Amino acid sequence: MNRARSAVLGVMTVGSLLSPLAGHATEGALGRPVAGTSVSANVAVIPDQPVWIANLQQLYMDGSISSGREVPIGGRTTAGIDAKIAFTLATMMRVWDTGPGAWNFASSFTLPYVWTTVHTSAVFAGPGGNTFSRGASDRASNLYDMYFSPLIAGYHFSKTTHMALSFNVWAPTGQYDKNALANPSLNNWTFVPQVAFTHLMPQYGLEFNAVAAFQFYTRNTATDYQNAPLFTLDVMGVKKFGKWGAGLVMGTIQQLGDDTGPTADRLNGFRGHDFTIGPIITYDTKLGGKAPLSFSLRWVPTVTSKNRLDSTATVMGTATLVF
């Protein structure tokens, strides 16, 4: 069966989002990824025919770090943080005409939009950490940093086992103000080498997917803040019931070292990690009886975290069309 029409490809790493102001052990406490959102159905399946794949994602996160913890934002620190973030990401992927061999290749581009509000109990400035504001709030709504994958290389071990390698880039195209609490940008380049894996067990209606990646950040020149590299791992298992599917998603983010810079040094490197787990439901159909169309909805609350946003309200919905 033709892989281009038999599997609806989950666009790789579109869910590996960053909130400019959340709390995951990097400047602003989140970095680019949100645990449990980068893995999707057939994530490592690159079709063997030239097709376009359109993906639309909506991610909402409502999280916080307690006021007893300091968080680095914009060259200063805050006493805790409460943030609401909504991301809308539109992605187009082109699968190139490389034939039906073991290797197939694709490229993708994502245009993200972010809406966010942030509230802190207090803001500290300068080496001495003098309080200059209490109960500070801010909001932003604009285009976010662009995301693109110049090359995605898919390898088919068999009809049921697949791997995909990719090198992905976040570009600092969003607006950034170091004096703002809410920013539609991280003001740095982020490079993301990634590997994805898919294993299908059609005789049992089962599907397993995993995505592992490293994230390497350049220095934020406006605040002299250097995020440490991150390791991310998301896994998903789904049981199919006809057009419907139900399963479980787990994700973790681990910081591989200490952040550096004036505010990071004051916070002893602000190293962090988190772990999320939650359910997912999927639905597969065909648009006009021909083009595969897939929907999914997941809830991935935080189980444990340190120096990252703790959220019980992390919800993501996706729609993917192959044409």
Side-chain angles (χ1 to χ4, degrees), residues 38-91:
S38 70
V39 68
S40 57
N42 297 293
V43 70
V45 182
I46 304 299
D48 58 7
Q49 289 190 2
V51 294
W52 285 97
I53 300 170
N55 178 273
L56 182 66
Q57 290 191 344
Q58 184 65 50
L59 171 69
Y60 176 78
M61 185 177 191
D62 184 349
S64 64
I65 291 180
S66 69
S67 59
R69 303 283 302 181
E70 290 188 53
V71 179
I73 297 181
R76 57 199 189 276
T77 62
T78 70
I81 185 174
D82 293 289
K84 295 180 176 65
I85 306 127
F87 271 104
T88 302
L89 300 104
T91 296

Side-chain angles (χ1 to χ4, degrees), residues 130 159-160 169-170 179 209 225 250 283 294 298 301 316 319:
N130 299 316
K159 292 182 179 180
T160 58
V169 181
W170 286 97
N179 297 314
N209 293 276
Y225 196 102
M250 295 182 291
Y283 179 77
S294 178
R298 75 188 67 187
M316 187 176 76

Side-chain angles (χ1 to χ4, degrees), residues 244-285:
W244 291 91
L248 195 65
V249 178
M250 295 182 291
T252 186
I253 298 171
Q254 302 290 328
Q255 185 169 338
L256 306 178
D258 293 340
D259 295 343
T260 60
T263 54
D265 294 343
R266 178 185 165 197
L267 300 180
N268 298 316
F270 200 60
R271 184 185 298 202
H273 57 78
D274 69 359
F275 176 75
T276 65
I277 185 171
I280 183 171
I281 57 173
T282 66
Y283 179 77
D284 299 323
T285 185

